[in-house]
Amino acid sequence: MSDLLARARAWAADDPDPQTRAELEALIAQGESPELADRFAGTLEFGTAGLRGELGAGPNRMNRVVVTRAAAGLAAYLVEQLLLEHGHPERASVVIGYDARHSSDLFARDTAEVIAGAGLHALVLPRPLPTPLLAFAIRELGCVAGVMVTASHNPPRDNGYKVYLGDGSQIVPPADGAIAARIAEVGPVAEVPRGEGWRVLGEDVVDGYLDTVAGLAGDGPRDLRLVYTPLHGVGGTSVAQVLETAGFDAPYVVAQQEQPDADFPTVAFPNPEEPGAMDLALALAAERQVDLVVANDPDADRCAAAVPDAHGWRMLRGDEVGALLAHHRLTTGHHGTYACSIVSSSLLGKLAAAAGQPFAETLTGFKWISKVEDLAFGYEEALGYCVDPEHVKDKDGISALLLLCELAAEEKARGRTLVDVLDDIALTHGLHATEQVSVRVTDLADIGAAMDRLRATPPTSLGGLPVETVDDLALGEGGLPPTDGLRYRLGSGARVIVRPSGTEPKLKCYLEVVVPVDAEAGVDAARISAAARLDALRDDIRTATFG
């Protein structure tokens, strides 16, 4: 018997799930194959994003064996830390949430049993619920950690496993490495202790979160016609309750996408940023003649929005929503540090400075933003916003959605729109136009080769603008932890950042241009100029990266 077949048989014998065990046994019966080899080509790596991968049998897939090992490693790490800090782990609790994806409930149950088997209290949220609710529950319940079973906006064949520590934020180094080391020490899953003393929480924690979010909206106008879609995810009932409690009329909901559905049948990718994902919502908006379209991704930690303009409906970019929410928080007196990731627009720093508030820039990922001291507001361009870090120290698509609706209603009462607010900001600070270029690859080696090429022969100009400085982010530029990426600062305030995706086989390029707005020519003229500059940047960075 080959080594591959021997490893596959051993894995199947240790698999507690009859479905994935049968799946693997069927592959073994066919003999060695590329599919079997891929499943055993490595192990899903546990990092700052936790685990994420395609569902299926084998160490290179998401399944109950991988999840059980992750839970056992996390439990060992927590017990070790509690013993070091307090001398006892007995009273410590871990809260576990899950979305409506395939196997999420099973993975949550396995986690609860393993956590309980390690002598910790395991608390499970009562049903499939949004990720920000899990982040809220950690601090609300005084837990030492939390686990969220979700793959966010990944394709339906995927699932994932996010880990938070007791401050309510996602893990960062060195905790991720320490947990990964404990996972590597776990033996056969049949020998992992399991307990039955775990508990399913009631609706109190859910209501506490929803009431806290609804309370973020102050007194003011509530006349706003909305279209909303949860994109087949778990945000629908939460959004409906928050809007009702805050005094808004019920939105028109996209019926085909209203209920959780792990297959996401109406979209190619359940991500509001992907082409076509918002088509049903925009069609309903045109039919109902509403003021605003809002959406969540499937686990409701992101928020997307669309607004009417002279040509119909247009999606707001994540940086535009970030600027609107920052403007709203600044003008309503919320003091503290305003933060965004390095790939987000430079506009936030200018808005914060104009209001006399500190600004911080972090690496990509909310795990870094949530660590900013005295955080008042944080966002990343990939539709993630933290508007209430006191209660949810992570991105929260539901609270962001509510405050965007509040701002839109206030502007509507003045005879204005969100676009008017963006135009005002552009007149004051210049038009900041951003775009992301993503190149999906089938061979991950292509990404490394592209980064090597850029480092070996850095461009001297991009989009007709001179490259003034090059920052190799792998060297820890600007006081940031080292990460694989390159930042080009160009003339006229433009900027390009190139980095590999942390969760998908993509190379991502983040573009930004800044165009002063002439008072007579207006913002539309600046937009035309910015679009041309972005086109030129896009073409040049593609050529520089892949030839």
Side-chain angles (χ1 to χ4, degrees):
M1 187 188 304
S2 73
D3 177 63
L4 173 60
L5 290 174
R7 286 188 292 136
R9 289 186 186 280
W11 184 277
D14 196 36
D15 191 343
D17 189 318
Q19 181 175 334
T20 49
R21 187 168 61 247
E23 172 188 310
L24 187 54
E25 287 172 346
L27 282 172
I28 293 169
Q30 297 171 18
E32 293 196 16
S33 66
E35 173 66 18
L36 187 63
D38 182 63
R39 290 169 183 250
F40 286 82
T43 300
L44 283 186
E45 291 187 12
F46 186 93
T48 53
L51 294 166
R52 190 174 294 188
E54 185 177 347
L55 289 162
N60 203 25
R61 297 287 189 272
M62 277 294 294
N63 51 66
R64 293 181 61 194
V65 176
V66 167
V67 166
T68 299
R69 291 171 56 83
L74 171 62
Y77 168 82
L78 293 173
V79 169
E80 180 182 59
Q81 293 300 307
L82 288 163
L83 287 170
L84 288 172
E85 295 172 14
H86 307 294
H88 61 83
E90 289 82 0
R91 300 185 62 81
S93 297
V94 177
V95 61
I96 301 149
Y98 58 101
D99 65 9
R101 283 178 175 268
H102 293 298
S103 298
S104 286
D105 55 343
L106 293 174
F107 295 162
R109 183 185 180 96
D110 281 332
T111 300
E113 291 178 354
V114 172
I115 294 295
L120 303 168
H121 294 304
L123 310 173
V124 181
L125 293 180
R127 50 191 167 86
L129 287 162
T131 292
L133 202 155
L134 182 279
F136 170 86
I138 294 169
R139 290 197 287 177
E140 179 73 6
L141 301 174
C143 297
V144 296
V147 172
M148 184 69 196
V149 182
T150 180
S152 192
H153 55 269
N154 274 39
R157 64 180 180 273
D158 291 355
N159 212 328
Y161 198 84
K162 295 173 69 171
V163 175
Y164 299 72
L165 292 182
D167 66 349
S169 65
Q170 295 179 53
I171 55 171
V172 296
D176 60 331
I179 295 170
R182 298 297 173 270
I183 293 171
E185 295 169 356
V186 177
V189 298
E191 298 175 7
V192 172
R194 291 177 179 255
E196 297 181 355
W198 54 280
R199 179 163 63 93
V200 177
L201 295 167
E203 292 290 324
D204 290 356
V205 68
V206 179
D207 292 339
Y209 165 77
L210 297 175
D211 289 345
T212 298
V213 172
L216 295 174
D219 295 331
R222 293 293 189 264
D223 177 23
L224 191 70
R225 290 169 57 82
L226 280 173
V227 159
Y228 169 69
T229 176
L231 280 182
H232 300 294
V234 296
T237 57
S238 297
V239 166
Q241 185 170 328
V242 163
L243 289 173
E244 180 182 0
T245 303
F248 287 93
D249 289 339
Y252 297 103
V253 181
V254 177
Q256 303 95 314
Q257 299 170 337
E258 184 173 8
Q259 298 302 318
D261 189 329
D263 293 320
F264 308 110
T266 67
V267 294
F269 288 93
N271 179 351
E273 293 181 292
E274 291 285 346
M278 293 292 291
D279 286 356
L280 289 173
L282 298 180
L284 182 59
E287 176 188 334
R288 295 293 185 175
Q289 297 184 323
V290 299
D291 303 306
L292 181 66
V293 175
V294 284
N296 293 126
D297 67 339
D299 70 326
D301 66 348
R302 289 174 170 83
C303 172
V307 294
D309 65 11
H311 307 290
W313 285 87
R314 79 170 178 96
M315 295 296 299
L316 293 177
R317 301 196 67 81
D319 285 313
E320 291 178 305
V321 175
L324 289 167
L325 290 171
H327 163 82
H328 186 37
R329 298 308 268 172
L330 287 165
T331 55
T332 50
H334 289 83
H335 295 167
T337 302
Y338 283 66
C340 65
S341 62
I342 57 173
V343 299
S344 302
S345 173
S346 60
L347 176 58
L348 181 63
K350 297 174 184 177
L351 292 172
Q357 298 303 306
F359 168 71
E361 202 172 44
T362 75
L363 292 183
T364 305
F366 242 89
K367 56 185 175 284
W368 299 110
I369 294 172
S370 64
K371 299 297 184 185
V372 170
E373 189 174 348
D374 192 31
L375 182 67
F377 169 81
Y379 95 93
E380 59 183 3
E381 48 73 45
L383 309 183
Y385 315 96
C386 176
V387 301
D388 183 26
E390 180 183 351
H391 295 104
V392 177
K393 219 173 183 183
D394 197 14
K395 55 185 176 288
D396 184 345
I398 297 173
S399 57
L401 183 153
L402 175 65
L403 293 190
L404 194 64
C405 290
E406 181 182 38
L407 178 60
E410 290 172 355
E411 294 302 325
K412 182 180 179 181
R414 301 185 183 108
R416 289 162 42 92
T417 69
L418 294 179
V419 175
D420 292 319
V421 179
L422 290 171
D423 288 353
D424 290 347
I425 293 171
L427 282 164
T428 303
H429 300 288
L431 179 72
H432 290 63
T434 59
E435 184 173 322
Q436 183 193 130
V437 179
S438 293
V439 180
R440 188 179 290 270
V441 300
T442 54
D443 185 351
L444 288 175
D446 291 343
I447 292 178
M451 296 300 294
D452 290 344
R453 189 179 305 113
L454 288 171
R455 287 187 170 98
T457 55
T460 57
S461 69
L462 290 167
L465 298 170
V467 175
E468 296 180 345
T469 63
V470 181
D471 298 328
D472 190 339
L473 302 176
L475 304 177
E477 294 286 345
L480 298 172
T483 187
D484 191 8
L486 294 164
R487 175 168 54 189
Y488 303 93
R489 299 186 190 274
L490 314 178
S492 301
R495 180 215 67 194
V496 173
I497 295 177
V498 183
R499 58 175 283 269
S501 170
T503 57
E504 299 175 275
K506 287 180 177 180
L507 188 69
K508 294 186 173 183
C509 308
Y510 303 84
L511 319 178
E512 180 176 32
V513 298
V514 183
V515 179
V517 178
D518 182 84
E520 292 186 7
V523 179
D524 285 343
R527 283 200 181 95
I528 293 170
S529 174
R533 292 188 188 184
L534 285 173
D535 285 344
L537 273 182
R538 187 192 313 112
D539 291 344
D540 279 7
I541 195 62
R542 279 184 179 275
T543 300
T545 304
F546 287 102

